[in-house]
Amino acid sequence: MAAVLIEREDAVLRVTWNRPEALNALTSQMLSDASEAIEAADPGVRAIVLTGAGRAFSSGADLTAVNPGQALGTETIDCANRLIRAIRATPAPVIAVVNGLAAGAGCSIALATDLTVAAESAYFLLAFAGVGLMPDAGATAVIPAAAGRARATRMAMLGERIPARTAEEWGLITAAVPDAEFPDEAGQLVTRVASGPTQAFARTKHAFNRTALAGLETALEAEREGQVFLFGTDDFAEGTDAFLGKRKPRFTGK
């Protein structure tokens, strides 16, 4: 079964992470497939939905496929950055429908979309520090722009779970919806956007890219540079080993 489902229904393009058994942990190929689908969207696409199958949106990069070495890590972050650029560049509004956990790059991607609606039981987590890394996939630009530097730093350095309701209060997401109402509410939002003034939405998005997210490209470059360095540290080796071994990491700062 495909790890990414690409479906078109009328004016809506739906991209679904489809590794529910792995909480939709992201591989380079999954990120590339999603990017290609968004980049190839024709003018008839008036809304793009990004969501996850099962009980998670995405748990972030698949650390079972990442070794403490620069090459594979660089491929993963380059593919994630390509997806963020595709989300921001497409004129169609991109809606993240967050059905559960959104962690690591999954969190970054969900918050980089134009509209993010989440089930009340969902939560957002920048889990990077737990494995000796820094946030990437545009998080260092997108989150401060939405919630402020203090809250962004709290998420990045303390690695706390941010419940959907709190994320809404902080301005990180569009809405947190009770679980029982979530499928209907999310569907209504997608329908509303897909039937809205497409050209006005595109121009609005373009303006936000130039103003609120003017530093996104700089952030992507700085994140890549930082991650490439961190992939070679002892702390990353320890963090991934601890994660895979389901134990608490013992960081040394080396």
Side-chain angles (χ1 to χ4, degrees):
M1 185 176 292
V4 180
L5 301 179
I6 311 296
E7 302 166 297
R8 172 77 178 269
E9 183 176 353
D10 298 326
V12 177
L13 176 68
R14 182 177 293 268
V15 180
T16 306
W17 311 127
N18 192 39
R19 295 182 68 203
E21 75 288 348
L23 298 179
N24 298 316
L26 300 169
T27 65
S28 298
Q29 188 61 56
M30 290 170 68
L31 293 163
S32 294
D33 289 348
S35 298
E36 289 173 8
I38 294 173
E39 291 165 353
D42 62 69
V45 172
R46 302 179 67 185
I48 299 172
V49 175
L50 189 57
T51 191
R55 60 191 180 91
F57 177 79
S58 171
S59 58
D62 186 356
L63 290 183
T64 64
V66 175
N67 296 313
Q70 182 173 323
L72 185 56
T74 301
E75 179 186 11
T76 302
I77 193 170
D78 286 344
C79 291
N81 285 354
R82 177 186 175 189
L83 178 56
I84 297 302
R85 291 183 175 109
I87 288 170
R88 298 313 314 162
T90 182
V94 181
I95 304 165
V97 176
V98 181
N99 48 307
L101 161 69
C107 176
S108 303
I109 293 165
L111 299 181
T113 60
D114 301 296
L115 296 164
T116 306
V117 58
E120 204 166 45
S121 62
Y123 64 90
F124 299 83
L125 172 66
L126 289 184
F128 299 92
V131 292
L133 294 177
M134 63 175 288
D136 59 23
T140 62
V142 170
I143 296 178
R149 184 181 60 83
R151 285 171 172 164
T153 302
R154 173 178 171 179
M155 290 179 67
M157 293 189 177
L158 301 185
E160 299 173 340
R161 295 186 180 189
I162 308 300
R165 187 61 65 189
T166 301
E168 180 185 28
E169 293 170 357
W170 284 9
L172 284 171
I173 68 173
T174 309
V177 181
D179 288 26
E181 303 168 18
F182 178 65
D184 287 342
E185 291 282 346
Q188 290 174 20
L189 176 63
V190 172
T191 299
R192 179 178 177 182
V193 172
S195 60
T198 304
Q199 294 298 327
F201 288 164
R203 288 291 181 170
T204 300
K205 181 170 181 174
H206 178 67
F208 282 145
N209 285 342
R210 294 182 61 181
T211 55
L213 294 176
L216 178 59
E217 191 60 38
T218 298
L220 291 174
E221 293 172 1
E223 290 168 354
R224 185 187 189 282
E225 180 182 351
Q227 291 294 56
V228 167
F229 170 80
L230 292 169
F231 286 141
T233 63
D234 290 349
D235 277 351
F236 175 59
E238 166 62 14
T240 52
D241 185 69
F243 175 82
L244 296 174
K246 298 182 179 180
R247 62 175 176 81
K248 185 176 180 179
R250 296 181 292 272
F251 295 128
T252 62
K254 298 180 180 179

